[in-house]
Every structure is written in structure tokens, then in C-alpha cells.
Amino acid sequence: KSFLNHTVYLSCYFPNSQKTDIKDLRIFWQKGTAEVVHEVYYGQEKHDNLSPKYVNRTKMDMDKWTLQLLNAGIVDEGQYTCIIQRKDKGSPKVIHTSECLLHVIANYSQPEIAWLHTGELKANEYLNLSCSSSGGYPEPKQMMWLISPRNETHTGHMNVSQDAVTKLYNVSSKLNIPVPTNIPINISCFLHLGEQLGSLVSVPLTI
């Protein structure tokens, strides 16, 4: 996993137990089955075959057998394969391959609650609120509302839109409940990003 616009470190996991000299090896990094990300040709970095979007964005650490990928974007997500070949009589022979899967994460803004109506609140009317959060990745799982001290939860429809260029998501949800009449309530909005990424919560709104 890597944060958006950060440097990613992809490892070949090559033990090099035979202590083979780098000048006897060809090292390829590719994305999917077709895109060449990086190539080291018998000790020299070679740029002829690189996919254009990886030019000047990669660097190989030969001591750690690790590839640095600069300025990770959403489009860089996917499977990467490291292939190592050794000089042999005739054609080079593959002595090692490894794969890693890259997921890119972009932080969502703190969810924010907004009023959807004007004028004062009256009994027997409905409270209309929206909650929104923007600029995140991957797509969130759910947006929900918590009303305390009643300990009531509402999971309305979550509107999701994705920017065509940046691939980042904006999300929003609406809450429509009767105006509280007897005691003050606190309304909070939660954005669930999945098990590993946790949740974000808005500043509570007191009514």
C-alpha cells in the first residue's frame, strides 16, 4: 500500500545466494503483462523499452533489489512482476521471478455536515441535512449517521462520484428525520473506508 503522490518501494525478494555479479544479470520490472516499468541490462539501466508513463519515475537499488517508483498515482495500481535473467550459453535464463500488488490510498477530507433548509426549525417538521467528504481513494464502503443520546443509526443512500482525471472519489449522504422536540441531540456522520483503513467522523452537530 502507498499513499497518493508518495514513493513506492517494490521488492524483488531476490536472495542472490550465489552472489551473482549484477553485470551478469538482466532485471526487468513490468506491470501486468505488457508495460515495461524498469530495465537493468547487465549492470546498466536501459530506457529504450520503458512504457512512457514510467520514464524518469523509477530507480533501482541494486543492494536491496528494490525498485523505487516516484509519485504514485491511482493509475499505478496493479500487479508488478520482477524478472531476473542470468547470462547463459545461448539465450539468458530466468533464475527468479516475484510479484507484488500495489494499492494506492488517498485520504478523504473530514466529513462535513451541512443544513439543507433555511428558516427556523418547528415541531412536526423534518430536519434535512447532508454530509459530504471528498478527494479520497479507494471507494468507501458506507456513510452512516449516528444520533445520540438516542443511539440511533441511519444508513441512507450514499452518492458516489469519481473524478475522470484524478480518479479520486467524492461522497455524500442525506438525512431526513423529524425535528427533535424534547431534548437536545447530537448528530454525527461517519465514513467507513473498510476494515484496514477505519472510519472518519464529522464534527457533531447539536440541535
Side-chain angles (χ1 to χ4, degrees), residues 174-190:
K174 290 180 181 172
L175 180 69
N176 187 260
I177 56 167
V179 170
T181 50
N182 46 5
I183 54 165
I185 59 167
N186 281 327
I187 300 175
S188 301
C189 165
F190 287 81

PDB file of all heavy atoms in Angstrom, residues 174-190:
ATOM      1  N   LYS A 174     -27.642  11.992   2.647  1.00  0.00           N
ATOM      2  CA  LYS A 174     -28.634  12.913   3.214  1.00  0.00           C
ATOM      3  C   LYS A 174     -29.350  12.266   4.386  1.00  0.00           C
ATOM      4  O   LYS A 174     -29.536  11.048   4.407  1.00  0.00           O
ATOM      5  CB  LYS A 174     -29.634  13.339   2.140  1.00  0.00           C
ATOM      6  CG  LYS A 174     -29.000  14.248   1.103  1.00  0.00           C
ATOM      7  CD  LYS A 174     -29.976  14.672   0.044  1.00  0.00           C
ATOM      8  CE  LYS A 174     -29.264  15.574  -0.971  1.00  0.00           C
ATOM      9  NZ  LYS A 174     -30.109  15.868  -2.132  1.00  0.00           N
ATOM     10  N   LEU A 175     -29.744  13.098   5.331  1.00  0.00           N
ATOM     11  CA  LEU A 175     -30.511  12.634   6.496  1.00  0.00           C
ATOM     12  C   LEU A 175     -31.794  13.443   6.570  1.00  0.00           C
ATOM     13  O   LEU A 175     -31.778  14.668   6.457  1.00  0.00           O
ATOM     14  CB  LEU A 175     -29.693  12.822   7.782  1.00  0.00           C
ATOM     15  CG  LEU A 175     -30.379  12.387   9.081  1.00  0.00           C
ATOM     16  CD1 LEU A 175     -30.537  10.867   9.135  1.00  0.00           C
ATOM     17  CD2 LEU A 175     -29.611  12.873  10.309  1.00  0.00           C
ATOM     18  N   ASN A 176     -32.912  12.741   6.761  1.00  0.00           N
ATOM     19  CA  ASN A 176     -34.223  13.393   6.827  1.00  0.00           C
ATOM     20  C   ASN A 176     -34.967  12.787   8.008  1.00  0.00           C
ATOM     21  O   ASN A 176     -35.449  11.660   7.923  1.00  0.00           O
ATOM     22  CB  ASN A 176     -34.954  13.137   5.499  1.00  0.00           C
ATOM     23  CG  ASN A 176     -36.250  13.903   5.407  1.00  0.00           C
ATOM     24  OD1 ASN A 176     -37.311  13.341   5.628  1.00  0.00           O
ATOM     25  ND2 ASN A 176     -36.173  15.174   5.086  1.00  0.00           N
ATOM     26  N   ILE A 177     -35.004  13.504   9.134  1.00  0.00           N
ATOM     27  CA  ILE A 177     -35.664  12.968  10.341  1.00  0.00           C
ATOM     28  C   ILE A 177     -36.573  14.042  10.953  1.00  0.00           C
ATOM     29  O   ILE A 177     -36.379  15.241  10.707  1.00  0.00           O
ATOM     30  CB  ILE A 177     -34.619  12.524  11.408  1.00  0.00           C
ATOM     31  CG1 ILE A 177     -33.676  13.690  11.782  1.00  0.00           C
ATOM     32  CG2 ILE A 177     -33.844  11.307  10.959  1.00  0.00           C
ATOM     33  CD1 ILE A 177     -32.843  13.447  13.025  1.00  0.00           C
ATOM     34  N   PRO A 178     -37.583  13.621  11.735  1.00  0.00           N
ATOM     35  CA  PRO A 178     -38.437  14.617  12.402  1.00  0.00           C
ATOM     36  C   PRO A 178     -37.604  15.513  13.327  1.00  0.00           C
ATOM     37  O   PRO A 178     -36.623  15.072  13.917  1.00  0.00           O
ATOM     38  CB  PRO A 178     -39.422  13.763  13.219  1.00  0.00           C
ATOM     39  CG  PRO A 178     -39.395  12.409  12.575  1.00  0.00           C
ATOM     40  CD  PRO A 178     -38.020  12.240  12.024  1.00  0.00           C
ATOM     41  N   VAL A 179     -38.008  16.777  13.411  1.00  0.00           N
ATOM     42  CA  VAL A 179     -37.315  17.723  14.294  1.00  0.00           C
ATOM     43  C   VAL A 179     -37.459  17.250  15.742  1.00  0.00           C
ATOM     44  O   VAL A 179     -38.572  16.958  16.190  1.00  0.00           O
ATOM     45  CB  VAL A 179     -37.912  19.141  14.131  1.00  0.00           C
ATOM     46  CG1 VAL A 179     -37.375  20.086  15.206  1.00  0.00           C
ATOM     47  CG2 VAL A 179     -37.610  19.679  12.742  1.00  0.00           C
ATOM     48  N   PRO A 180     -36.334  17.145  16.486  1.00  0.00           N
ATOM     49  CA  PRO A 180     -36.430  16.711  17.895  1.00  0.00           C
ATOM     50  C   PRO A 180     -37.136  17.782  18.727  1.00  0.00           C
ATOM     51  O   PRO A 180     -36.900  18.971  18.525  1.00  0.00           O
ATOM     52  CB  PRO A 180     -34.968  16.543  18.310  1.00  0.00           C
ATOM     53  CG  PRO A 180     -34.185  17.390  17.357  1.00  0.00           C
ATOM     54  CD  PRO A 180     -34.959  17.438  16.087  1.00  0.00           C
ATOM     55  N   THR A 181     -37.970  17.354  19.648  1.00  0.00           N
ATOM     56  CA  THR A 181     -38.752  18.342  20.416  1.00  0.00           C
ATOM     57  C   THR A 181     -38.418  18.379  21.903  1.00  0.00           C
ATOM     58  O   THR A 181     -38.521  19.415  22.522  1.00  0.00           O
ATOM     59  CB  THR A 181     -40.256  18.055  20.262  1.00  0.00           C
ATOM     60  OG1 THR A 181     -40.491  16.663  20.534  1.00  0.00           O
ATOM     61  CG2 THR A 181     -40.735  18.376  18.853  1.00  0.00           C
ATOM     62  N   ASN A 182     -37.998  17.242  22.467  1.00  0.00           N
ATOM     63  CA  ASN A 182     -37.878  17.239  23.929  1.00  0.00           C
ATOM     64  C   ASN A 182     -36.475  17.538  24.453  1.00  0.00           C
ATOM     65  O   ASN A 182     -36.291  18.400  25.310  1.00  0.00           O
ATOM     66  CB  ASN A 182     -38.413  15.917  24.514  1.00  0.00           C
ATOM     67  CG  ASN A 182     -37.903  14.717  23.737  1.00  0.00           C
ATOM     68  OD1 ASN A 182     -37.085  14.860  22.831  1.00  0.00           O
ATOM     69  ND2 ASN A 182     -38.382  13.540  24.093  1.00  0.00           N
ATOM     70  N   ILE A 183     -35.464  16.846  23.923  1.00  0.00           N
ATOM     71  CA  ILE A 183     -34.109  17.063  24.457  1.00  0.00           C
ATOM     72  C   ILE A 183     -33.155  17.382  23.311  1.00  0.00           C
ATOM     73  O   ILE A 183     -33.394  17.002  22.172  1.00  0.00           O
ATOM     74  CB  ILE A 183     -33.586  15.828  25.234  1.00  0.00           C
ATOM     75  CG1 ILE A 183     -33.680  14.566  24.338  1.00  0.00           C
ATOM     76  CG2 ILE A 183     -34.307  15.622  26.542  1.00  0.00           C
ATOM     77  CD1 ILE A 183     -32.892  13.396  24.844  1.00  0.00           C
ATOM     78  N   PRO A 184     -32.030  18.068  23.613  1.00  0.00           N
ATOM     79  CA  PRO A 184     -31.037  18.313  22.559  1.00  0.00           C
ATOM     80  C   PRO A 184     -30.452  16.982  22.066  1.00  0.00           C
ATOM     81  O   PRO A 184     -30.324  16.035  22.837  1.00  0.00           O
ATOM     82  CB  PRO A 184     -29.957  19.138  23.250  1.00  0.00           C
ATOM     83  CG  PRO A 184     -30.558  19.615  24.519  1.00  0.00           C
ATOM     84  CD  PRO A 184     -31.621  18.638  24.895  1.00  0.00           C
ATOM     85  N   ILE A 185     -30.107  16.958  20.799  1.00  0.00           N
ATOM     86  CA  ILE A 185     -29.450  15.756  20.259  1.00  0.00           C
ATOM     87  C   ILE A 185     -28.161  16.151  19.548  1.00  0.00           C
ATOM     88  O   ILE A 185     -28.013  17.285  19.098  1.00  0.00           O
ATOM     89  CB  ILE A 185     -30.366  14.980  19.275  1.00  0.00           C
ATOM     90  CG1 ILE A 185     -30.778  15.859  18.086  1.00  0.00           C
ATOM     91  CG2 ILE A 185     -31.568  14.387  19.978  1.00  0.00           C
ATOM     92  CD1 ILE A 185     -31.409  15.083  16.945  1.00  0.00           C
ATOM     93  N   ASN A 186     -27.252  15.181  19.476  1.00  0.00           N
ATOM     94  CA  ASN A 186     -26.012  15.336  18.715  1.00  0.00           C
ATOM     95  C   ASN A 186     -26.086  14.437  17.483  1.00  0.00           C
ATOM     96  O   ASN A 186     -26.395  13.251  17.603  1.00  0.00           O
ATOM     97  CB  ASN A 186     -24.791  14.903  19.545  1.00  0.00           C
ATOM     98  CG  ASN A 186     -24.392  15.978  20.525  1.00  0.00           C
ATOM     99  OD1 ASN A 186     -24.539  17.150  20.235  1.00  0.00           O
ATOM    100  ND2 ASN A 186     -23.899  15.566  21.684  1.00  0.00           N
ATOM    101  N   ILE A 187     -25.792  15.008  16.334  1.00  0.00           N
ATOM    102  CA  ILE A 187     -25.809  14.228  15.092  1.00  0.00           C
ATOM    103  C   ILE A 187     -24.389  14.188  14.531  1.00  0.00           C
ATOM    104  O   ILE A 187     -23.761  15.230  14.337  1.00  0.00           O
ATOM    105  CB  ILE A 187     -26.761  14.849  14.057  1.00  0.00           C
ATOM    106  CG1 ILE A 187     -28.182  14.886  14.615  1.00  0.00           C
ATOM    107  CG2 ILE A 187     -26.717  14.066  12.752  1.00  0.00           C
ATOM    108  CD1 ILE A 187     -29.178  15.581  13.729  1.00  0.00           C
ATOM    109  N   SER A 188     -23.898  12.981  14.287  1.00  0.00           N
ATOM    110  CA  SER A 188     -22.551  12.809  13.697  1.00  0.00           C
ATOM    111  C   SER A 188     -22.675  11.984  12.427  1.00  0.00           C
ATOM    112  O   SER A 188     -23.595  11.185  12.275  1.00  0.00           O
ATOM    113  CB  SER A 188     -21.614  12.080  14.665  1.00  0.00           C
ATOM    114  OG  SER A 188     -21.501  12.791  15.871  1.00  0.00           O
ATOM    115  N   CYS A 189     -21.727  12.189  11.554  1.00  0.00           N
ATOM    116  CA  CYS A 189     -21.708  11.458  10.285  1.00  0.00           C
ATOM    117  C   CYS A 189     -20.387  10.686  10.206  1.00  0.00           C
ATOM    118  O   CYS A 189     -19.322  11.251  10.461  1.00  0.00           O
ATOM    119  CB  CYS A 189     -21.842  12.479   9.155  1.00  0.00           C
ATOM    120  SG  CYS A 189     -21.431  11.859   7.538  1.00  0.00           S
ATOM    121  N   PHE A 190     -20.459   9.394   9.874  1.00  0.00           N
ATOM    122  CA  PHE A 190     -19.284   8.518   9.795  1.00  0.00           C
ATOM    123  C   PHE A 190     -19.073   8.051   8.363  1.00  0.00           C
ATOM    124  O   PHE A 190     -20.029   7.680   7.677  1.00  0.00           O
ATOM    125  CB  PHE A 190     -19.485   7.260  10.660  1.00  0.00           C
ATOM    126  CG  PHE A 190     -19.407   7.511  12.134  1.00  0.00           C
ATOM    127  CD1 PHE A 190     -20.493   8.017  12.833  1.00  0.00           C
ATOM    128  CD2 PHE A 190     -18.238   7.239  12.840  1.00  0.00           C
ATOM    129  CE1 PHE A 190     -20.425   8.245  14.196  1.00  0.00           C
ATOM    130  CE2 PHE A 190     -18.157   7.468  14.201  1.00  0.00           C
ATOM    131  CZ  PHE A 190     -19.246   7.977  14.872  1.00  0.00           C
TER     132      PHE A 190
END
